[in-house]
């Protein structure tokens, strides 16, 4: 314990691991504009199919023995999670055909405060007060971001599709959390990526989407994002071994901010009310991840709860690590 505390004390306030996560969020933020441009040359399902098939094959190339010995549970879990990936990214990509990349990024960020609601519905784990406050703050931001139209709120088809993508992403994270403890993570990652790609291709005839005319733009965007998906996951696994969960939350909350900045530089225009709504969504993400101090339960009056704190510390850290692994797995 003394060695661990000393190591933490010597750790730089903002080191290379933090910078790596900042770079990850910058890449995430740029993907919205990249997809928005690619949608001028490709349909959403074909693009998502190519993107995730590329990511799955590249991950399989990195871990060639990943599928060896796959169990029925792993195949089923990977297929189920892959289905939510296909639905979520398909709807997000569909939305990017008609709405600005910055708007898409802020609406997509709603998946973070939505996760406690899904845990409540599926796993019977009620949200904590900070989680409820984050949900309220984020949804208020959504209403402002969509913008009032007369006496009623108006959501375009693209905004509704993107909201559906956020809901799907939240469901995916809860499913990963449910299976992560008893499956091989590399194996299930390969299965879910390949499933998402295959289902997207198979859905094309049902929606009437055809294979687009060849364009270097959609090819470079889809293949590039597929490779980035695999490499980013490896980067996060490396960086989050050293970055505390709360600090990682603050860094990840910058994703829609980077997307908004990149969108603004490319010509996106958000009215003041929408900017306020975007800010509330980011605030909701941060508030929802707060860990409030524990009540004094050991009777020593110092408010630390030392008798319970040592016993609970490892459990809390384990849950935090699982939460972050689950959250970023959707990228």
């Amino acid at each position: 314990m003394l060695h661990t505390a000393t190591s933490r004390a010597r750790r730089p306030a903002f080191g290379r691991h933090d910078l790596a996560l900042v770079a990850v969020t910058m890449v995430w933020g740029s993907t919205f504009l990249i997809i928005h441009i690619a949608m001028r040359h490709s349909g959403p399902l074909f693009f998502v199919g190519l993107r995730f098939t590329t990511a799955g094959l590249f991950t399989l190339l990195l871990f060639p023995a990943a599928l060896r010995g796959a169990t029925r549970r792993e195949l089923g879990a990977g297929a189920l999670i892959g289905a939510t990936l296909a639905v979520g990214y398909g709807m997000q990509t569909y939305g990017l055909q008609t709405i600005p990349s910055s708007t898409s990024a802020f609406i997509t960020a709603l998946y973070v405060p939505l996760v406690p609601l899904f845990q409540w519905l599926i796993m019977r784990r009620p949200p904590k007060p900070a989680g409820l406050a984050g949900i309220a703050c984020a949804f208020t931001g959504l209403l402002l971001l969509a913008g009032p139209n007369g006496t009623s709120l108006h959501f375009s088809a693209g905004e509704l599709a993107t909201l559906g993508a956020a809901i799907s992403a939240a469901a995916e994270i809860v499913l990963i959390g449910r299976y992560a403890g008893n499956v091989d993570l590399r194996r299930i990652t390969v299965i879910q990526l390949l499933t998402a790609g295959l289902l997207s291709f198979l859905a094309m005839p049902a929606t009437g989407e055809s294979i687009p005319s060849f364009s270097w733009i959609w090819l470079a965007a889809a293949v590039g994002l597929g490779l980035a998906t695999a490499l980013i996951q490896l980067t996060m696994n490396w960086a989050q071994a050293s970055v505390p969960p709360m600090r990682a939350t603050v860094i990840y909350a910058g994703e829609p901010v980077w997307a908004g900045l990149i969108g603004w530089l490319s010509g996106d225009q958000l009215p003041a009310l929408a900017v306020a709504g975007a800010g509330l969504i980011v605030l909701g993400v941060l508030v929802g991840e707060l860990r409030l101090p524990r009540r004094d339960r050991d009777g020593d009056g110092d408010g630390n709860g030392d008798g319970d704190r040592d016993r609970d510390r490892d459990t809390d850290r384990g849950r935090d690590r699982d939460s972050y692994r689950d959250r970023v797995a959707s990228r």
Side-chain angles (χ1 to χ4, degrees), residues 62-139:
L62 291 176
F63 308 108
L67 294 182
R68 191 176 302 163
T71 65
R72 184 178 301 178
R73 179 181 180 83
E74 288 171 333
L75 290 172
L80 185 59
I81 295 168
T84 61
L85 269 176
V87 172
Y89 276 85
M91 297 182 76
Q92 181 196 67
T93 306
Y94 170 82
L96 278 165
Q97 291 180 305
T98 57
I99 66 174
S101 58
S102 52
T103 300
S104 175
F106 286 111
I107 295 178
T108 301
L110 285 167
Y111 77 88
V112 179
L114 279 173
V115 168
L117 284 181
F118 276 77
Q119 289 179 325
W120 192 3
L121 293 173
I122 298 174
M123 307 172 96
R124 298 295 187 266
R125 287 165 53 185
K128 295 182 179 179
L132 291 173
I135 292 167
C137 189
F139 273 101

Side-chain angles (χ1 to χ4, degrees), residues 1-234:
M1 291 297 293
L2 179 61
H3 175 73
T4 302
T6 303
S7 299
R8 286 181 179 172
R10 292 177 180 174
R11 185 181 181 278
F14 200 88
R16 58 179 181 169
H17 298 86
D18 305 90
L19 288 173
L21 292 184
V22 171
V24 164
T25 60
M26 293 176 69
V27 173
W28 282 347
S30 69
T31 61
F32 293 90
L33 180 60
I34 293 172
I35 298 172
H36 183 68
I37 295 173
M39 285 303 94
R40 301 170 188 169
H41 306 272
S42 172
L45 291 175
F46 177 82
F47 186 86
V48 172
L50 182 58
R51 174 183 178 179
F52 279 95
T53 300
T54 300
L57 292 176
F58 184 66
T59 306
L60 188 59
L61 183 64
L62 291 176
F63 308 108
L67 294 182
R68 191 176 302 163
T71 65
R72 184 178 301 178
R73 179 181 180 83
E74 288 171 333
L75 290 172
L80 185 59
I81 295 168
T84 61
L85 269 176
V87 172
Y89 276 85
M91 297 182 76
Q92 181 196 67
T93 306
Y94 170 82
L96 278 165
Q97 291 180 305
T98 57
I99 66 174
S101 58
S102 52
T103 300
S104 175
F106 286 111
I107 295 178
T108 301
L110 285 167
Y111 77 88
V112 179
L114 279 173
V115 168
L117 284 181
F118 276 77
Q119 289 179 325
W120 192 3
L121 293 173
I122 298 174
M123 307 172 96
R124 298 295 187 266
R125 287 165 53 185
K128 295 182 179 179
L132 291 173
I135 292 167
C137 189
F139 273 101
T140 302
L142 173 64
L143 299 181
L144 293 177
L145 186 64
N149 181 21
T151 58
S152 61
L153 288 169
H154 172 71
F155 289 87
S156 69
E159 290 167 337
L160 287 173
T162 308
L163 179 58
I167 293 172
S168 181
E172 173 211 347
I173 291 167
V174 173
L175 287 173
I176 293 175
R178 185 169 187 173
Y179 291 110
N182 48 22
V183 295
D184 184 280
L185 291 179
R186 289 183 297 181
R187 184 178 297 147
I188 201 173
T189 297
V190 172
I191 294 171
Q192 71 188 47
L193 291 174
L194 292 177
T195 298
L198 178 62
L199 289 179
S200 298
F201 284 137
L202 291 177
M204 289 176 62
T207 61
E209 182 179 322
S210 58
I211 298 175
S213 301
F214 178 79
S215 168
W216 286 108
I217 294 178
W218 62 250
L219 178 63
V223 174
L225 290 179
L227 296 176
T229 297
L231 293 176
I232 282 174
Q233 190 63 48
L234 293 174

